[in-house]
Amino acid sequence: FAAAVFGLHPLHVESVAWVSERKDVLSAFFFLAALNAYAVWAESLRKRWLLLATGSMALGLLAKPMLVTLPFVLLLLDYWPLYRVRHENKARCIALLVTEKLPMFVLAAAASAATIVVQRGAHATSSLDALPLALRFENAAVAYVRYAGKSIWPADLLMYYPHPRGSLSALAVGAAVLCLIAVTITAWFLRHRSRYPIVGWLWYLGTLVPVIGLVQVGAQAIADRYTYIPMIGLLV
């Protein structure tokens, strides 16, 4: 189901029709390749598969730094559907799972730092004076809900969504925050019955972090192409 919607959804038109967004498709390819290699590693514990997953992440980062969230996604998959988080001695188990991904975390940190330096050097990022942190958080909360809404009902799609820059009402921001909290709490309480809601929801929240606008690059509020990988979590 996720694969079918992923291939057909109109929010993905930018990524596959806009030639400069070939990097989206290429990075997503290596993202999914890393997931497959990691799944084999989790079952076989043959190190070449973990190396292949790490190598796929490195290649994906060369295409687009969106893959900085991959090690966190793999930790989610350790919880479900791989069931690598054991109830007995849970803290030690999580520590081991994080340790095996240390090269990936190093790659993610290096790619994040390099991207910020390059974007600042090109004067593509907005300063805190031009766009205060409070306005960034307001837009981020509303953006999460807007992306989810467009994933469910893809209407009013645009090539460019201008940043509100303080024009969002307190009601809109408050409603968005309450919606995010409500879904998160619901998924959390459902985890004992079904693990996939919390994994899918955290996948969605987490993989959008690099492009949600806390580090503002460009003048857009949201962009359809940013949903290319995060939407998989919603579909799950």
Side-chain angles (χ1 to χ4, degrees):
F1 172 76
V5 179
F6 188 78
L8 297 171
H9 203 287
L11 275 184
H12 292 161
V13 168
E14 277 188 358
S15 294
V16 298
W18 185 10
V19 68
S20 64
E21 283 307 308
R22 175 179 173 272
K23 59 189 178 185
D24 252 6
V25 183
L26 191 59
S27 64
F29 168 81
F30 286 116
F31 181 94
L32 296 173
L35 293 190
N36 279 297
Y38 185 78
V40 177
W41 150 255
E43 293 175 357
S44 67
L45 295 181
R46 294 177 180 172
K47 287 190 176 180
R48 64 174 178 267
W49 290 104
L50 184 59
L51 290 173
L52 183 59
T54 306
S56 296
M57 178 185 175
L59 292 172
L61 285 170
L62 290 174
K64 189 175 183 178
M66 188 78 172
L67 266 70
V68 295
T69 58
L70 177 60
F72 300 97
V73 171
L74 296 181
L75 286 173
L76 288 176
L77 299 185
D78 285 332
Y79 178 68
W80 180 89
L82 299 176
Y83 291 100
R84 299 183 71 203
V85 180
R86 307 299 180 187
H87 289 292
E88 60 278 3
N89 206 349
K90 186 179 292 186
R92 183 174 181 275
C93 181
I94 293 174
L96 290 173
L97 293 174
V98 171
T99 300
E100 72 180 13
K101 299 173 185 62
L102 280 180
M104 294 185 180
F105 283 110
V106 171
L107 284 174
S112 299
T115 301
I116 291 173
V117 169
V118 170
Q119 295 289 4
R120 284 182 177 172
H123 304 289
T125 57
S126 299
S127 67
L128 289 176
D129 292 331
L131 191 62
L133 201 56
L135 298 185
R136 301 182 189 211
F137 276 105
E138 288 179 1
N139 180 67
V142 174
Y144 270 118
V145 177
R146 290 181 73 184
Y147 282 132
K150 289 180 181 296
S151 298
I152 297 168
W153 188 256
D156 301 321
L157 305 184
L158 301 172
M159 293 173 62
Y160 172 70
Y161 302 86
H163 199 286
R165 293 189 176 272
S167 63
L168 291 171
S169 67
L171 179 61
V173 175
V177 171
L178 287 176
C179 181
L180 293 173
I181 292 173
V183 176
T184 304
I185 291 175
T186 302
W188 176 257
F189 279 109
L190 285 174
R191 74 189 190 283
H192 296 302
R193 184 185 306 173
S194 301
R195 294 188 175 190
Y196 67 87
I198 190 67
V199 170
W201 180 242
L202 291 179
W203 176 316
Y204 170 69
L205 294 180
T207 53
L208 267 176
V209 167
V211 291
I212 204 62
L214 299 181
V215 177
Q216 183 67 33
V217 179
Q220 73 284 339
I222 62 174
D224 294 347
R225 60 190 177 275
Y226 291 162
T227 64
Y228 204 55
I229 288 175
M231 190 196 285
I232 300 176
L234 281 184
L235 296 174
V236 169

